[in-house]
C-alpha cells in the first residue's frame, strides 16, 4: 500500500493508525509564522467507529489502508456469518457478527448494503439509509390518533424495536431511517 | 462542472481588497511613512529552521556560473538595509512566498504589509497597529497581554519556568495527541499549547496583542531589558487567527550573526537544506541600524476578517491551485 504525506491528507483518505484502518474526516494545517508546522487531523477509526483528533508533524508520511466500499445485496445468515452478494458478478462474501454489529437489526433480504472491506475482508456493514420492514408486534392503538404524540413501541420482522404512531398496526410495513432508528412513514404500496 | 479559469474570490471581495489597500496607503501617507519596494528575488535567504524559501536557478549571471536565487519569505532584511541607509519610517505592501502546504489560512504566495518605525519601541508600534486595525476592521481598541500572563490566565502555567515534562502533561490532559515517538522540545510544546488552547480563547471581540515571547523564540527581536528570558516580540491575534508579528528590532550585528550561525548549525542537525545567509544584511547592521520597531501583517488574513471569509481562497483571485 502507498504511503501518504500530510500534504495529501483530505476527507475520505484511508490510512493506517495504530494498526487500525482509519478514515480522515478533516485536516487543518497549523503553522505559526515563527514555529513548526503541524496538521490537526480528525479521524474515524473504521473498526471501532471511534472519532478522534490526532496531530501530525507536517510532511510526515503514514501508510495508506487498503480499504474499499462495495455495494452488496444481503442474502441470509447461517447463524454465524452474514452472506452478501454482488448483483453484477454474483460473487459472494461473508461478514462476521463483529462487522455487522448493531446493524443486524436492519438487514433485510435483497436490500443493498455498503460493505467496507479492509484487505479484502468486511469490517463494517452499513444498511441503506431507509429500509421497509413489517411490524410483527405492537399494541393495538386508539383509532383516530393521527397526531403521533408519544406513539408506542413496535417490534419489526428483524427484531428491531422502533416507536411508531398509535394508528400503525401489526402486519403493516413501515419505512424506517436506519441512521436515527426512527419511524418515517407507512410504506408505499 | 467547475471552471478552473475563474477566480475563487468573488468580485465583491476583489473590490474589498482594493479598498483595504487604499485605506492602508492613506493611513501611512497621513503619517509620513514612505512606501518602498524591495526585491522579491534575492541572492540570500532566511536561516530560520521553520521557514522554507522557494528557490530557482539563474543561468545568465555575468560570471557565467549558475546561481541559486530565492523568492523572499519576507522583505525584512532588504527593508532593514534601507533603514541602515537612513530611509526613515517606511512600509511595503508586497508578495511573500513560503514553501509550505496550503490550508484554510495559508497560500504559499501571499500579500504582506511590513512597516518600520525608527525611534519607536514595540509598545509604540503596537499603539499604531491598534489604530490601523480599528480603522480597517471597524473594531474596538485591542487588548494587550504578556505571553507569560496569558499562559497563567488560560492554563495556570508559567511558560518561562515550566519544565518540558509539565508542558507535556498539560498537552496530554487536554487530549492533544501528537503522532509518533519523537519527543517534542520546549518551544514546540509551548507553540502547540498556544495554538490549540490559547489562540481560540483570546482576541474574540477585539484584537489581542501578546508580547514578551520566550527568548528562544526571538528570531530578529531584541531581548527585553527587564527580563532577559523574554524577547521584545509581539504577535496580534483576532478571532483565532495570527495576524501579525512584530519586534523591537535587534540591531547588534554580532548577536545577529550568532543567531544565524546557530540556525545554520540547527539546520545541519535536522537535515534541512543548507542555505546562504544574507551577508549584505549583516554588513548593513554593522554600519548601524537605527533603533526601531517593525511589524509584518498578513493582508489576505486581514481581508478574510474584514469580509468574514472562512477560507483564504475566498479573498485571493487565483490561489496556487488555480494560479
Amino acid at each position: 500500500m502507498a504511503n501518504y504525506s500530510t500534504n495529501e491528507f483530505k476527507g475520505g483518505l484511508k490510512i493506517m493508525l495504530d494498526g487500525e484502518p482509519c478514515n480522515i474526516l478533516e485536516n487543518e494545517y497549523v503553522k505559526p509564522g515563527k514555529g513548526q508546522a503541524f496538521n490537526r487531523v480528525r479521524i474515524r477509526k473504521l473498526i471501532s467507529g471511534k472519532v478522534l483528533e490526532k496531530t501530525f508533524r507536517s510532511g510526515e508520511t503514514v501508510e495508506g489502508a487498503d480499504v474499499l466500499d462495495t455495494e452488496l445485496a444481503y442474502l441470509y445468515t447461517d447463524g454465524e456469518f452474514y452472506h452478501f452478494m454482488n448483483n453484477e458478478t454474483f460473487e459472494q462474501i461473508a461478514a462476521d457478527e463483529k462487522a455487522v454489529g448493531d446493524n443486524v437489526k436492519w438487514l433485510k433480504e435483497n436490500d443493498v448494503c455498503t460493505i467496507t472491506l479492509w484487505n479484502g475482508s468486511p469490517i463494517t456493514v452499513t444498511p441503506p439509509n431507509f429500509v421497509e420492514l413489517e411490524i410483527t408486534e405492537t399494541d393495538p392503538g386508539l383509532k383516530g390518533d393521527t397526531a403521533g404524540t408519544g406513539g408506542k413501541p413496535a417490534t419489526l420482522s428483524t427484531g428491531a424495536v422502533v416507536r411508531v404512531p398509535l394508528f400503525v398496526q401489526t402486519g403493516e410495513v413501515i419505512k424506517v431511517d436506519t441512521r436515527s432508528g426512527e419511524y418515517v412513514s407507512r410504506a408505499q404500496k | 462542472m467547475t471552471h478552473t479559469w475563474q477566480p475563487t474570490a468573488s468580485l465583491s471581495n476583489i473590490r474589498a481588497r482594493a479598498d483595504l489597500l487604499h485605506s492602508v496607503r492613506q493611513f501611512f501617507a497621513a503619517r509620513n511613512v514612505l512606501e518602498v519596494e524591495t526585491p522579491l528575488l534575492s541572492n540570500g535567504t532566511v536561516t530560520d529552521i521553520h521557514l522554507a524559501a522557494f528557490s530557482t536557478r539563474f543561468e545568465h549571471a555575468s560570471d557565467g556560473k549558475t546561481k541559486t536565487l530565492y523568492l523572499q519569505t519576507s522583505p525584512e532584511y532588504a527593508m532593514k538595509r534601507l533603514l541602515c541607509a537612513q530611509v526613515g519610517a517606511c512600509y511595503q505592501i508586497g508578495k511573500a512566498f513560503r514553501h509550505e502546504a496550503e490550508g484554510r489560512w495559508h497560500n504559499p504566495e501571499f500579500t504582506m504589509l511590513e512597516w518600520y518605525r525608527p525611534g519607536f519601541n514595540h509598545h509604540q508600534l503596537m499603539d499604531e497597529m491598534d489604530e490601523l486595525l480599528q480603522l480597517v476592521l471597524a473594531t474596538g481598541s485591542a487588548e494587550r497581554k504578556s505571553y507569560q500572563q496569558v499562559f497563567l490566565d488560560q492554563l495556570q502555567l508559567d511558560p518561562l519556568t515550566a519544565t518540558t515534562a509539565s508542558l507535556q502533561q498539560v498537552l496530554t490532559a487536554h487530549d492533544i495527541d501528537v503522532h509518533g515517538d519523537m519527543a517534542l522540545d520546549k518551544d514546540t510544546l509551548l507553540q502547540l499549547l498556544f495554538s490549540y488552547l490559547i489562540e481560540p480563547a483570546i482576541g474574540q471581540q477585539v484584537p489581542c496583542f501578546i508580547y514578551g515571547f520566550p527568548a528562544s523564540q526571538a528570531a530578529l527581536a531584541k531581548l527585553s531589558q527587564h527580563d532577559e528570558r523574554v524577547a521584545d516580540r509581539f504577535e496580534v491575534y483576532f478571532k483565532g487567527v495570527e495576524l501579525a508579528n512584530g519586534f523591537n528590532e535587534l540591531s547588534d550585528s554580532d548577536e545577529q550573526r550568532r543567531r544565524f550561525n546557530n540556525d545554520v548549525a540547527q539546520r545541519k542537525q535536522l537535515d534541512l537544506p543548507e542555505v546562504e545567509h544574507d551577508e549584505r544584511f549583516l554588513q548593513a547592521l554593522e554600519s548601524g541600524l537605527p533603533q526601531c520597531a517593525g511589524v509584518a501583517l498578513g493582508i489576505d488574513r486581514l481581508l478574510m476578517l474584514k469580509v468574514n471569509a472562512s477560507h483564504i481562497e475566498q479573498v485571493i483571485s487565483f490561489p496556487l491551485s488555480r494560479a
Side-chain angles (χ1 to χ4, degrees):
Chain A
M1 205 55 206
N3 281 335
Y4 295 98
S5 96
T6 55
N7 294 332
E8 297 169 271
F9 282 14
K10 56 169 186 265
L13 183 74
K14 311 289 194 294
I15 58 163
M16 291 299 297
L17 196 66
D18 310 325
E20 188 174 328
C22 299
N23 184 19
I24 290 182
L25 302 174
E26 270 175 69
N27 172 26
E28 174 129 16
Y29 180 62
V30 183
K31 168 78 171 82
K34 311 276 171 206
Q36 193 175 334
F38 286 100
N39 288 68
R40 199 171 174 176
V41 185
R42 276 203 341 126
I43 285 168
R44 183 193 301 281
K45 292 198 156 187
L46 287 173
I47 293 175
S48 64
K50 221 175 116 188
V51 173
L52 53 100
E53 195 182 277
K54 197 104 181 167
T55 295
F56 293 84
R57 289 174 178 79
S58 283
E60 200 176 342
T61 57
V62 292
E63 196 191 338
D66 179 11
V67 170
L68 184 74
D69 282 343
T70 162
E71 305 287 309
L72 302 173
Y74 175 59
L75 296 178
Y76 66 96
T77 175
D78 57 19
E80 191 180 357
F81 289 99
Y82 296 79
H83 298 269
F84 294 85
M85 185 174 73
N86 183 320
N87 279 336
E88 278 156 31
T89 63
F90 307 111
E91 198 185 326
Q92 290 190 21
I93 211 161
D96 62 13
E97 249 175 57
K98 228 177 98 192
V100 175
D102 277 351
N103 286 328
V104 64
K105 65 180 181 220
W106 305 122
L107 290 185
K108 198 182 87 180
E109 282 163 30
N110 300 322
D111 272 0
V112 175
C113 302
T114 304
I115 317 292
T116 303
L117 304 174
W118 173 39
N119 296 331
S121 307
I123 48 169
T124 56
V125 172
T126 312
N129 291 344
F130 300 100
V131 294
E132 293 186 351
L133 294 167
E134 189 188 329
I135 298 178
T136 53
E137 199 193 331
T138 189
D139 285 340
L142 296 168
K143 290 245 185 231
D145 176 279
T146 52
T149 47
K152 60 182 179 179
T155 306
L156 309 181
S157 54
T158 54
V161 178
V162 295
R163 286 201 80 77
V164 297
L166 297 180
F167 58 82
V168 178
Q169 302 304 333
T170 302
E172 286 191 80
V173 177
I174 61 164
K175 186 173 171 184
V176 182
D177 187 329
T178 59
R179 293 159 297 183
S180 59
E182 281 169 10
Y183 167 89
V184 178
S185 64
R186 283 170 159 155
Q188 307 286 329
K189 289 278 158 59
Chain B
M1 195 181 133
T2 50
H3 298 282
T4 56
W5 65 266
Q6 288 183 326
T8 51
S10 64
L11 291 180
S12 76
N13 285 354
I14 290 172
R15 289 188 193 107
R17 176 180 289 264
D19 289 344
L20 175 65
L21 293 177
H22 182 68
S23 339
V24 170
R25 288 197 161 98
Q26 274 190 320
F27 178 86
F28 287 114
R31 285 168 171 73
N32 274 321
V33 179
L34 184 73
E35 178 162 13
V36 296
E37 266 189 19
T38 57
L40 295 186
L41 199 57
S42 174
N43 287 291
T45 186
V46 286
T47 52
D48 190 318
I49 58 163
H50 297 307
L51 286 179
F54 285 97
S55 62
T56 186
R57 287 147 53 96
F58 182 52
E59 313 272 7
H60 302 277
S62 54
D63 63 3
K65 290 181 187 151
T66 298
K67 251 199 98 39
T68 300
L69 297 179
Y70 302 92
L71 285 175
Q72 59 120 343
T73 57
S74 103
E76 181 157 10
Y77 299 162
M79 288 184 77
K80 284 184 181 168
R81 281 164 62 189
L82 289 179
L83 290 161
C84 292
Q86 304 301 327
V87 76
C90 58
Y91 78 99
Q92 174 160 211
I93 295 171
K95 289 293 181 75
F97 302 83
R98 295 194 180 168
H99 199 169
E100 292 171 1
E102 297 155 82
R104 204 151 76 82
W105 298 99
H106 297 265
N107 192 57
E109 173 180 345
F110 59 103
T111 303
M112 197 181 239
L113 162 66
E114 183 145 331
W115 81 94
Y116 290 88
R117 281 297 213 161
F120 277 28
N121 64 25
H122 59 303
H123 280 283
Q124 290 166 299
L125 189 60
M126 280 189 251
D127 293 340
E128 186 167 66
M129 170 128 189
D130 190 5
E131 285 175 43
L132 176 67
L133 293 179
Q134 288 183 50
L135 175 80
V136 299
L137 295 177
T139 176
S141 180
E143 297 171 291
R144 214 174 282 190
K145 240 179 209 180
S146 76
Y147 187 84
Q148 184 181 34
Q149 194 57 49
V150 80
F151 267 87
L152 287 168
D153 291 352
Q154 300 292 334
L155 300 172
Q156 294 76 50
L157 182 82
D158 184 344
L160 302 178
T161 58
T163 60
T164 310
S166 64
L167 295 173
Q168 182 62 59
Q169 263 172 20
V170 180
L171 210 62
T172 310
H174 285 88
D175 271 338
I176 300 169
D177 182 7
V178 180
H179 184 247
D181 305 322
M182 207 161 69
L184 299 165
D185 61 43
K186 184 170 174 182
D187 282 325
T188 305
L189 288 165
L190 287 172
Q191 180 209 315
L192 280 171
L193 290 171
F194 198 94
S195 309
Y196 283 35
L197 303 174
I198 296 178
E199 262 185 56
I202 58 172
Q204 289 303 322
Q205 306 305 321
V206 292
C208 182
F209 286 87
I210 302 291
Y211 62 91
F213 278 70
S216 53
Q217 300 174 28
L220 283 78
K222 263 187 187 151
L223 295 187
S224 164
Q225 288 183 329
H226 313 290
D227 183 348
E228 60 180 21
R229 295 175 301 169
V230 303
D232 286 344
R233 172 185 156 205
F234 68 90
E235 294 248 5
V236 186
Y237 300 90
F238 193 28
K239 298 181 177 165
V241 192
E242 178 193 343
L243 204 51
N245 175 56
F247 303 139
N248 196 356
E249 301 292 347
L250 179 67
S251 53
D252 178 344
S253 61
D254 291 337
E255 170 63 16
Q256 187 64 65
R257 194 179 286 277
R258 261 195 300 280
R259 291 189 196 178
F260 277 171
N261 289 339
N262 186 29
D263 282 349
V264 169
Q266 265 196 303
R267 281 187 161 265
K268 208 166 254 174
Q269 220 173 15
L270 295 168
D271 241 358
L272 293 170
E274 262 182 64
V275 294
E276 195 159 333
H277 74 250
D278 192 333
E279 190 56 37
R280 292 191 182 95
F281 168 58
L282 286 175
Q283 282 171 13
L285 286 189
E286 276 163 23
S287 87
L289 176 71
Q291 191 284 315
C292 65
V295 63
L297 183 157
I299 287 287
D300 310 283
R301 291 181 179 180
L302 185 66
L303 184 55
M304 283 177 76
L305 291 172
K306 190 175 165 62
V307 301
N308 233 334
S310 58
H311 198 290
I312 199 163
E313 284 184 355
Q314 294 165 5
V315 300
I316 294 182
S317 56
F318 302 113
L320 193 62
S321 58
R322 294 200 182 181

